[in-house]
Amino acid sequence: MAGGLLNVSWVLSLLCVLQMVETVSGARAPSAGAHISSQFPAAGVSQTSVVDCREVCGLNASDRCAFVRTNPDCRSDGGYLDYLEGIFCHFPARLLPLAITLYAFWLLYLFLILGVTAAKFFCPNLSAISTTLKLSHNVAVSFWSSSGTLEGGPEGVRGWETGDASWPGQPGAPALRPLDTSPHGVTFLAFGNGAPDIFSALVAFSDPRTAGLAFGALFGAGVLVTTVVAGGIAILRPFTAASRPFLRDIIFYMAAVLLIFTALYCGRVTLAWALGYLGFYAFYVVTVVLCTWIYQRQRRRSLVCSMPATPEILSDSEEERMSSNTNSYDYGEEYRPLLLYPETTAQILVQALNPLDYRKWRTKPMYWRVLKVFKLPVEFLLLLTVPVMDPDKEDRNWKRPLNCLHLVISPLFLTLTLQSGAYGVYEIGGLFPVWAVVVIAGTALAAVTFFATSNSEPPRFHWLFAFLGFLTSALWINAAATEVVNILRSLGVVFRLSNTVLGLTLLAWGNSIGDVFSDFTLARQGYPRMAFSACFGGIIFNMLVGVGLGCLLQISRSHMEVKLEPDGLLVWILAGTLGLSLVCSLVLVPLQCFQLSRVYGCCLLLLYLTFLVVALLTEFGVIHLKTV
């Protein structure tokens, strides 16, 4: 219990750190001239009449560039690229389809950057911080990413409860069973898995013009996960759901949706409401802690009473999996050198910066290789800028030349990322730039570290690299999320789409595509219960923390409550559909004795398709409310 409460306080501390990062790095205060079309107009501030930026497409081609450059509603206060100016000033009107195509590919690549950063750098550093602060529980929890790949383990396997470090498929691996829900699973695990969603919501809430993206993405991702993902799991492998965790998670999620719905109906979010969202999630974490403690206590009592102990009954798929691995051979032994020799510093640096595993490359299919080619530049830059500490390894992933290089490059990256590089180019006394001071200080610290340490043994202060890696990867995600929000807003201007529909489609699909593939992979491998549980636990975090922390940042900057103006009928359809999907699952699943069939999965998919059609018809004005 004490460890669980410590875990809650540590998560709240992490949220405070993220609030500072977001406030410094990309939080744009709304300009004094508020926008007529803004989602959160500041009460009491004189509003200047500004033409909606989406009117640019109705002008002559020769006037569009001047309109974009002079209209305040078209300005982008954050990010590195001005996408609207790029479309209307640097591309001729006849090449507009080419510009949109290039932007679409860049958007896909930004989603790839978000997934890779969260999977291989953000989550492992969170895990290392958790281990360093001794927040572990007797239920072993592994950190999974939005791409469904666990570092050091097979793809698609998120976590295992076992007595050793063996993975399925290796000789001597014990019988495995899916992990139970634990405090880490709803805090660090949800935080790592939902990092792209949370940062996208924070960036969207930081500007009144893009706040609709946050609501659209959070509600849209909720509808997508609870219908398409949950239904797809039931279609791929019908199963019996765990009754108590399912009821607990879905009831909390319904309560979270009701709270957000109430705020939309009231039209405002006060400081008390924003803190209430975060407090409600903390209450959810405490509930999971209590449930886990009660479950483990009952389990220990049952084990004591049952003598002799009976072996755990595995499902048919698990038995087949274990029987097929009984006589397997570990071919990795063949790649181990017969004679071990110490590697030089140059060899360690080259291998540490190499993102490609040649043995894995030879065994993977063609589509994996093509995707890996696109990942290589991003992974190389991340390896160069983000340190990763792995407490499970004997050397804790200590690479002396690369870690010393991180002491120079990581602070430099942080400086050039804060406020889109505004702090980095600032000159002290009008003579010396800040980035030069950071480079000099980092170089001196790296030189001392290099000569005071060795290649073979990590230093005692190596755990500090986990915090440096966490901060650097967080700013990577924040920078990519800022560009995603800006490019989606630009596409909305070109196609005259509302931010809400962009959020519930492109942004929700992009942030959730990793969850879709990883959950489907788990279901195909015979663990549908684990995949189904992930459909509800993580999005509770995204909903409450995304809205709560986003509104809290807005209130802290403007010192007044956040005014909510729903984007017409579409937001109500979005919230209503999410509530309907949850009510249907809450009613139908217990009626089926928690046995999820393919018919149930097809009904959920049909619900999502119906919602998507209704949302698009509403966006284009086919469905609308009659005005009296």
Side-chain angles (χ1 to χ4, degrees):
M1 288 296 297
L5 295 177
L6 180 61
N7 199 11
V8 174
S9 63
W10 170 241
V11 172
L12 295 179
S13 301
L14 274 180
L15 294 179
C16 294
V17 172
L18 278 186
Q19 180 177 352
M20 291 186 292
V21 170
E22 175 63 24
T23 303
V24 176
S25 63
R28 288 99 60 187
S31 56
H35 309 279
I36 289 178
S37 61
S38 66
Q39 299 285 336
F40 305 136
V45 180
S46 60
Q47 298 187 7
T48 305
S49 179
V50 178
V51 181
D52 192 338
C53 189
R54 285 177 288 189
E55 300 296 329
V56 65
C57 293
L59 302 176
N60 294 327
S62 58
D63 299 330
R64 293 177 180 176
C65 181
F67 177 85
V68 169
R69 287 177 173 174
T70 57
N71 188 8
D73 193 51
C74 298
R75 294 175 186 170
S76 178
D77 299 327
Y80 294 92
L81 301 175
D82 192 335
Y83 296 100
L84 285 174
E85 183 175 340
I87 292 177
F88 297 108
C89 297
H90 301 291
F91 281 91
R94 64 179 182 275
L95 294 182
L96 182 61
L98 175 61
I100 299 301
T101 303
L102 293 177
Y103 279 22
F105 280 112
W106 175 233
L107 180 64
L108 293 176
Y109 201 71
L110 286 172
F111 283 127
L112 184 66
I113 294 174
L114 286 173
V116 171
T117 308
K120 296 188 175 182
F121 298 87
F122 190 76
C123 292
N125 280 312
L126 274 178
S127 177
I129 292 173
S130 174
T131 303
T132 302
L133 297 179
K134 301 184 185 302
L135 298 178
S136 58
H137 294 261
N138 52 1
V139 179
V141 175
S142 302
F143 286 76
W144 70 66
S145 66
S146 57
S147 63
T149 304
L150 183 64
E151 291 300 301
E155 290 187 333
V157 180
R158 288 181 166 180
W160 307 90
E161 184 178 352
T162 178
D164 60 14
S166 301
W167 292 94
Q170 291 184 352
L176 303 177
R177 57 185 180 274
L179 286 171
D180 296 324
T181 304
S182 72
H184 278 172
V186 296
T187 52
F188 289 103
L189 191 58
F191 185 42
N193 199 30
D197 307 80
I198 294 299
F199 278 94
S200 299
L202 294 182
V203 173
F205 271 119
S206 64
D207 193 328
R209 296 166 297 178
T210 58
L213 280 173
F215 280 108
L218 293 174
F219 281 112
V223 176
L224 178 70
V225 172
T226 56
T227 55
V228 175
V229 179
I233 293 171
I235 293 174
L236 288 174
R237 189 176 291 271
F239 66 101
T240 302
S243 58
R244 286 179 294 180
F246 168 77
L247 292 175
R248 179 198 64 211
D249 290 342
I250 198 170
I251 290 174
F252 268 97
Y253 193 28
M254 290 178 64
V257 173
L258 180 61
L259 289 175
I260 306 299
F261 187 86
T262 304
L264 286 173
Y265 180 79
C266 296
R268 68 181 186 275
V269 175
T270 62
L271 178 62
W273 274 88
L275 295 175
Y277 292 144
L278 300 178
F280 185 71
Y281 183 76
F283 174 66
Y284 170 67
V285 174
V286 172
T287 303
V288 174
V289 171
L290 291 174
C291 292
T292 305
W293 178 73
I294 294 173
Y295 170 78
Q296 293 172 351
R297 186 177 180 182
Q298 292 177 348
R299 184 179 179 85
R300 285 193 297 265
R301 288 182 178 180
S302 62
L303 291 176
V304 171
C305 297
S306 59
M307 295 297 293
T310 57
E312 181 179 0
I313 300 176
L314 300 178
S315 63
D316 295 337
S317 59
E318 290 172 327
E319 289 179 354
E320 294 174 0
R321 186 183 184 93
M322 295 308 303
S323 61
S324 62
N325 295 326
T326 302
N327 298 322
S328 60
Y329 177 73
D330 186 8
Y331 291 96
E333 297 287 342
E334 297 181 358
Y335 292 93
R336 294 183 181 179
L338 296 177
L339 297 177
L340 299 177
Y341 59 92
E343 294 178 322
T344 63
T345 301
Q347 289 175 332
I348 294 175
L349 179 62
V350 171
Q351 291 181 5
L353 288 175
N354 182 18
L356 183 60
D357 188 343
Y358 298 103
R359 289 180 294 172
K360 199 174 184 179
W361 175 272
R362 290 194 296 266
T363 59
K364 290 297 180 179
M366 182 56 65
Y367 76 89
W368 185 92
R369 299 183 184 184
V370 174
L371 184 61
K372 186 66 176 179
V373 170
F374 288 101
K375 287 183 179 180
L376 286 177
V378 178
E379 291 180 348
F380 175 78
L381 291 176
L382 286 168
L383 288 172
L384 191 62
T385 56
V386 183
V388 178
M389 177 186 172
D390 189 354
D392 295 331
K393 292 184 178 180
E394 185 178 355
D395 61 351
R396 291 181 290 178
N397 202 37
W398 167 250
K399 311 294 181 184
R400 186 177 68 146
L402 181 58
N403 287 135
C404 292
L405 197 61
H406 284 150
L407 294 176
V408 181
I409 298 179
S410 294
L412 178 63
F413 175 81
L414 295 177
T415 305
L416 297 178
T417 306
L418 295 176
Q419 198 61 30
S420 301
Y423 292 119
V425 298
Y426 176 77
E427 294 183 350
I428 302 175
L431 298 174
F432 212 62
V434 174
W435 66 265
V437 177
V438 173
V439 170
I440 294 175
T443 302
L445 182 60
V448 173
T449 304
F450 184 82
F451 291 107
T453 58
S454 63
N455 292 333
S456 58
E457 184 178 354
R460 289 184 297 177
F461 57 83
H462 184 217
W463 57 272
L464 292 174
F465 283 88
F467 290 87
L468 179 62
F470 164 73
L471 185 60
T472 310
S473 58
L475 287 179
W476 262 97
I477 295 176
N478 180 76
T482 302
E483 300 301 320
V484 167
V485 171
N486 288 340
I487 197 172
L488 285 178
R489 180 174 179 270
S490 302
L491 294 177
V493 169
V494 173
F495 293 106
R496 296 188 178 185
L497 298 175
S498 66
N499 288 327
T500 303
V501 76
L502 288 173
L504 70 91
T505 54
L506 295 180
L507 187 56
W509 294 342
N511 286 337
S512 303
I513 191 66
D515 296 323
V516 173
F517 283 111
S518 58
D519 288 336
F520 284 175
T521 302
L522 278 173
R524 285 195 300 266
Q525 291 179 346
Y527 299 98
R529 292 180 64 178
M530 187 195 305
F532 189 75
S533 299
C535 294
F536 297 95
I539 52 180
I540 298 176
F541 178 87
N542 297 344
M543 178 73 69
L544 292 173
V545 177
V547 176
L549 192 56
C551 292
L552 188 62
L553 288 172
Q554 179 82 355
I555 293 172
S556 64
R557 290 191 299 268
S558 60
H559 303 289
M560 60 185 64
E561 64 183 18
V562 176
K563 298 293 184 180
L564 301 181
E565 293 184 0
D567 194 5
L569 181 62
L570 186 58
V571 172
W572 303 112
I573 293 177
L574 185 57
T577 305
L578 179 56
L580 179 62
S581 67
L582 294 176
V583 170
C584 291
S585 296
L586 180 62
V587 173
L588 295 178
V589 172
L591 287 179
Q592 301 175 91
C593 298
F594 298 93
Q595 295 180 358
L596 305 185
S597 62
R598 289 187 172 89
V599 176
Y600 169 78
C602 293
C603 292
L604 290 179
L605 294 180
L606 182 62
L607 176 61
Y608 184 78
L609 292 177
T610 304
F611 153 73
L612 204 58
V613 171
V614 172
L616 293 178
L617 291 178
T618 304
E619 173 67 19
F620 294 111
V622 179
I623 299 177
H624 57 86
L625 293 175
K626 292 183 179 180
T627 56
V628 181

